[in-house]
Amino acid sequence: MIKTPYLLFLGDAPDQLAAKVAQGIRDWRPDISIGQIKLPGCKADLNLKNYTLEEAKENGAKTLIIGVANRGGKFSDSWKKTLCHALELKFDIASGLHNLLSNEKDLLNLSEVNECNLIDVRIPKEQFPIGNGKKRTGKRCLTIGTDCSVGKMYSSLAIEKEMRSREMKVSFRATGQTGILISGRGIPLDAIVADFMAGSVETLSPDNDDDHWDIIEGQGSLFHVSYSGVTMALIHGGQPDHIILCHEPTRAHMRGLPHYDLPTLEALYEIALPLAKISNPNCKISGICINTKNMERLEGENLKNQIEQAFKLPTVDPFIDGTKKIVDRLIQE
Amino acid sequence: MIKTPYLLFLGDAPDQLAAKVAQGIRDWRPDISIGQIKLPGCKADLNLKNYTLEEAKENGAKTLIIGVANRGGKFSDSWKKTLCHALELKFDIASGLHNLLSNEKDLLNLSEVNECNLIDVRIPKEQFPIGNGKKRTGKRCLTIGTDCSVGKMYSSLAIEKEMRSREMKVSFRATGQTGILISGRGIPLDAIVADFMAGSVETLSPDNDDDHWDIIEGQGSLFHVSYSGVTMALIHGGQPDHIILCHEPTRAHMRGLPHYDLPTLEALYEIALPLAKISNPNCKISGICINTKNMERLEGENLKNQIEQAFKLPTVDPFIDGTKKIVDRLIQE
């Protein structure tokens, strides 16, 4: 559990995209994002108060979040100075970067001296059990995609937000780095040893109240041959009651695999449902999220209508439409 | 690559079953199994020459293989004495046990002093890439099962043996501890980090001659919710041209999961083939191995005939019938 509230570190981000982790946290958790801190040359902005470390501390910030990708996988001297000073002020620091905070000796020493935490969310902190497949109480909804990076995390968070607005009991269950930083907890599933993948998902989504919903963030795709095993473990460890299909219609090929075409939503439906029924015979596919950001508005609307009619399932672009229609369906069944 | 020939260590095995790893090596690799070494009280026997360490060394043995499960996960003093002496004589030692040779300080020290290797085959030794899904040259055949421990390794080795007897180019590709000790190489797939599972299988089964066969040892089952992600990675990383289904018809429930029924062979066929076609559109299911050891002979024969007719696929118990019929089918297509 990462301590809140957060101060979001944007470093010397060359553009807005480089700060997309910070942007995600700011979009989904405005209540815990109390300010931003930039270095000279930073081209990103979150429309938050600019704080010095001292000001943020005075305003209650507990954790400095590295909200920006670093260049060349190195912590530059300009970053180091700020990070070291944050530790001197007893901030925790959390990061989802590939190169780890805890591999930097100066940061490690300062964190020990000042009794604060370096949190590398790419590294699993627990030893997980082997999955036992036992039926758990509470409701579970999992997002799965035709490909990687089609909007599974966004869709999951949008469903959580809609449920929260209805005062339903709901938890977003993060399975990737950005999701963990946004929600302050979760499991970096792609870093778990194979034997314990399903067990880690069971741990992430334990028994709960009958009217509580876990919205589990999907990873990879059954059709993405590099990561399909991770997706499979999520389906069987998550034992979802409901699956939401996620799709980006304009993509030319599977992400990072130019020799693989994207599957159709029909193909994903046909292959995913029998697999999901192994761990939960009552599992249903209950909605479709279409990421239309690369389409003309009208084209996107037409496509969503076509899909909705073909599948008889609520179909939305969660960014444009929200997820009301999907949540209506989830609570109906 | 584990150095051969082997001296097989049976320790103080309380019964034959406790030495099943050694038995597997002796059955499948008699050419490299030059002798056995027992401690007082050992109840297992491989029908091999009993050697002292010195005699085995004189006869050319290079590696002492721990062929027996230890009790309570500990190396007893009686074992330790033999293992230490083996290192003094410059044997390598290889083990598939959960508790690691390399965690024993005395063994580690002696291996360094004597410049020999402690090989814990449960621990991956390489850093593997993320799978790229590129089509590789050569032929690949993968065994998959309705459950864990239904005979996938045995079936794979039996196919390799039959192909070898026909002087075909063939490699058994081990993905588990026992398979690695038998073949002297391989990848402990269940110990690989999730993101790299498919890539490790690609590494295990690289480009090869067009008429070369990789017989890839299956793991877990698509229907075993604890390990299905591992199976999925094997299917997509292995990109098999042919799949052999493996089944044990008398099992009452999934191994270790009393609340899960076994799937039918039909269900496995239906779910596995579309998944396999994602990475290899030409993949076929080409044979069925039935483990009939818990059945009456006639009952087993009848069942194999029924299955053969229902699926129109060569169906054998590899232990009783060998795999001639299956290899005939593989080379026909």
Side-chain angles (χ1 to χ4, degrees):
Chain A
M1 188 78 207
I2 304 171
K3 287 183 215 153
T4 60
Y6 295 166
L7 173 64
L8 301 172
F9 177 73
L10 304 185
D12 46 359
D15 53 32
Q16 193 68 18
L17 192 65
K20 71 176 181 179
V21 168
Q23 185 71 54
I25 298 171
R26 193 256 182 271
D27 288 348
W28 294 106
R29 292 294 184 269
D31 50 316
I32 61 170
S33 302
I34 63 162
Q36 63 188 9
I37 181 166
K38 300 183 186 188
L39 296 178
C42 178
K43 300 279 199 310
D45 193 275
L46 303 174
N47 199 20
L48 284 174
K49 259 193 181 157
N50 286 300
Y51 278 131
T52 63
L53 289 168
E54 284 81 359
E55 288 165 349
K57 195 77 195 175
E58 275 166 35
N59 282 280
K62 297 276 195 301
T63 304
L64 182 73
I65 305 279
I66 311 289
V68 55
N70 52 356
R71 280 178 272 193
K74 290 195 176 163
F75 293 102
S76 60
D77 288 343
S78 62
W79 282 34
K80 265 292 177 65
K81 208 177 135 194
T82 306
L83 303 187
C84 288
H85 189 44
L87 294 170
E88 286 160 2
L89 294 173
K90 296 188 184 295
F91 276 94
D92 287 351
I93 306 181
S95 161
L97 297 177
H98 268 288
N99 47 337
L100 305 179
L101 297 168
S102 53
N103 282 347
E104 304 289 314
K105 284 208 176 133
D106 42 2
L107 298 182
L108 200 58
N109 288 340
L110 278 170
S111 74
E112 282 165 11
V113 170
N114 294 289
E115 296 180 337
C116 40
N117 301 302
L118 298 179
I119 304 159
D120 285 303
V121 300
R122 282 190 185 266
I123 306 294
K125 286 288 175 294
E126 285 173 71
Q127 181 64 44
F128 295 102
I130 284 173
N132 62 41
K134 286 183 191 154
K135 177 72 184 156
R136 307 193 293 285
T137 53
K139 291 283 191 183
R140 283 168 190 80
C141 176
L142 171 69
T143 48
I144 69 172
T146 48
D147 193 5
C148 301
S149 307
V150 293
K152 295 184 293 290
M153 184 188 80
Y154 195 103
S155 300
S156 304
L157 285 161
I159 292 168
E160 184 216 21
K161 186 179 180 184
E162 174 64 23
M163 288 187 165
R164 214 171 274 287
S165 77
R166 300 185 190 197
E167 299 187 343
M168 294 168 62
K169 297 181 195 166
V170 58
S171 305
F172 167 73
R173 299 300 188 185
T175 59
Q177 288 76 26
T178 304
I180 296 172
L181 290 174
I182 289 175
S183 65
R185 66 180 87 191
I187 286 175
L189 187 57
D190 60 11
I192 304 288
V193 166
D195 244 3
F196 307 102
M197 292 187 297
S200 75
V201 181
E202 292 180 356
T203 303
L204 177 70
S205 175
D207 277 323
N208 218 316
D209 296 343
D210 287 340
D211 59 346
H212 177 277
W213 288 80
D214 270 346
I215 313 300
I216 305 174
E217 177 194 5
Q219 292 294 334
S221 167
L222 289 170
F223 285 82
H224 197 295
V225 298
S226 313
Y227 307 116
S228 53
V230 180
T231 312
M232 186 74 262
L234 257 172
I235 293 174
H236 282 169
Q239 55 178 232
D241 304 287
H242 298 273
I243 283 176
I244 306 299
L245 305 183
C246 300
H247 186 48
E248 204 282 63
T250 69
R251 198 165 288 182
H253 59 74
M254 296 296 283
R255 189 174 166 88
L257 304 176
H259 38 309
Y260 283 84
D261 292 333
L262 251 75
T264 60
L265 278 164
E266 285 80 1
L268 179 60
Y269 190 114
E270 294 299 326
I271 225 161
L273 192 57
L275 288 169
K277 282 177 179 287
I278 292 170
S279 58
N280 185 346
N282 297 318
C283 184
K284 296 181 182 70
I285 295 183
S286 300
I288 301 177
C289 288
I290 306 290
N291 179 345
T292 64
K293 73 174 174 199
N294 296 320
M295 303 176 81
E296 297 295 328
R297 181 79 185 226
L298 187 63
E299 193 191 8
E301 292 299 324
N302 286 340
L303 182 66
K304 285 185 284 181
N305 286 335
Q306 279 170 30
I307 292 170
E308 190 158 73
Q309 284 170 26
F311 286 86
K312 313 267 181 257
L313 286 175
T315 301
V316 301
D317 181 325
F319 187 78
I320 296 173
D321 312 310
T323 58
K324 284 191 172 59
K325 276 205 286 192
I326 288 178
V327 173
D328 285 347
R329 169 67 73 103
L330 291 175
I331 61 176
Q332 191 187 94
E333 294 190 356
Chain B
M1 188 79 207
I2 304 172
K3 286 182 214 156
T4 60
Y6 295 166
L7 174 64
L8 301 173
F9 177 73
L10 304 185
D12 46 359
D15 53 33
Q16 194 69 18
L17 192 64
K20 71 175 178 178
V21 168
Q23 186 70 54
I25 298 171
R26 193 255 181 274
D27 288 348
W28 294 107
R29 293 292 185 271
D31 51 317
I32 60 171
S33 303
I34 65 163
Q36 63 187 12
I37 181 166
K38 301 183 186 189
L39 297 178
C42 179
K43 300 280 198 312
D45 193 275
L46 303 174
N47 198 21
L48 284 175
K49 260 195 181 157
N50 285 301
Y51 278 131
T52 63
L53 288 167
E54 285 80 0
E55 289 165 349
K57 194 78 196 176
E58 275 166 34
N59 282 280
K62 297 276 194 299
T63 305
L64 182 72
I65 305 279
I66 311 289
V68 56
N70 51 356
R71 279 179 272 194
K74 288 192 178 167
F75 292 102
S76 61
D77 288 343
S78 63
W79 282 34
K80 264 293 177 64
K81 209 176 134 194
T82 306
L83 302 188
C84 287
H85 189 43
L87 294 170
E88 287 161 0
L89 293 173
K90 296 187 184 294
F91 276 93
D92 287 351
I93 306 181
S95 162
L97 298 178
H98 268 290
N99 46 338
L100 305 179
L101 298 169
S102 53
N103 282 346
E104 303 289 314
K105 284 211 176 129
D106 43 1
L107 299 182
L108 199 58
N109 288 341
L110 277 169
S111 74
E112 281 164 12
V113 170
N114 293 288
E115 297 180 336
C116 40
N117 301 302
L118 299 178
I119 303 159
D120 285 303
V121 301
R122 281 188 187 267
I123 305 295
K125 287 287 176 293
E126 284 173 72
Q127 180 64 43
F128 295 103
I130 285 174
N132 62 42
K134 287 184 190 154
K135 176 73 183 154
R136 306 193 294 284
T137 53
K139 290 284 192 185
R140 284 169 189 80
C141 177
L142 171 69
T143 48
I144 69 173
T146 48
D147 193 4
C148 300
S149 307
V150 293
K152 294 184 294 289
M153 185 187 79
Y154 194 102
S155 300
S156 304
L157 284 160
I159 292 169
E160 184 216 20
K161 186 179 180 183
E162 174 64 24
M163 287 188 166
R164 213 171 276 288
S165 78
R166 299 185 191 197
E167 301 188 342
M168 293 167 63
K169 296 181 196 167
V170 58
S171 305
F172 167 73
R173 299 300 188 185
T175 58
Q177 287 75 26
T178 303
I180 295 172
L181 289 173
I182 289 174
S183 65
R185 67 179 88 189
I187 287 175
L189 188 57
D190 59 11
I192 304 287
V193 166
D195 244 2
F196 306 102
M197 292 187 298
S200 76
V201 180
E202 293 180 355
T203 303
L204 177 71
S205 174
D207 277 322
N208 218 317
D209 295 344
D210 287 341
D211 59 346
H212 177 278
W213 288 79
D214 271 346
I215 313 300
I216 304 174
E217 177 194 5
Q219 292 295 332
S221 167
L222 289 170
F223 285 82
H224 197 296
V225 297
S226 313
Y227 308 116
S228 52
V230 180
T231 312
M232 186 74 263
L234 257 172
I235 293 174
H236 282 168
Q239 54 179 232
D241 304 288
H242 298 272
I243 284 176
I244 306 299
L245 305 182
C246 299
H247 185 49
E248 205 282 60
T250 69
R251 199 163 289 184
H253 59 73
M254 295 296 284
R255 188 173 167 89
L257 304 176
H259 38 310
Y260 283 84
D261 293 334
L262 251 73
T264 61
L265 278 164
E266 285 80 1
L268 179 60
Y269 190 114
E270 293 298 326
I271 223 160
L273 193 56
L275 287 169
K277 282 178 180 285
I278 293 171
S279 58
N280 186 346
N282 298 319
C283 183
K284 296 181 182 72
I285 294 182
S286 301
I288 301 177
C289 288
I290 306 291
N291 180 344
T292 65
K293 74 174 174 199
N294 295 321
M295 302 176 83
E296 297 295 328
R297 180 80 185 225
L298 188 62
E299 192 191 9
E301 292 298 325
N302 286 341
L303 182 66
K304 285 185 283 181
N305 286 335
Q306 278 169 31
I307 292 171
E308 189 158 75
Q309 284 170 27
F311 285 86
K312 313 268 181 256
L313 287 174
T315 301
V316 301
D317 182 325
F319 186 79
I320 297 172
D321 313 307
T323 58
K324 284 194 172 58
K325 276 205 284 194
I326 288 178
V327 173
D328 285 347
R329 169 68 72 106
L330 291 176
I331 60 175
Q332 191 186 95
E333 294 189 356

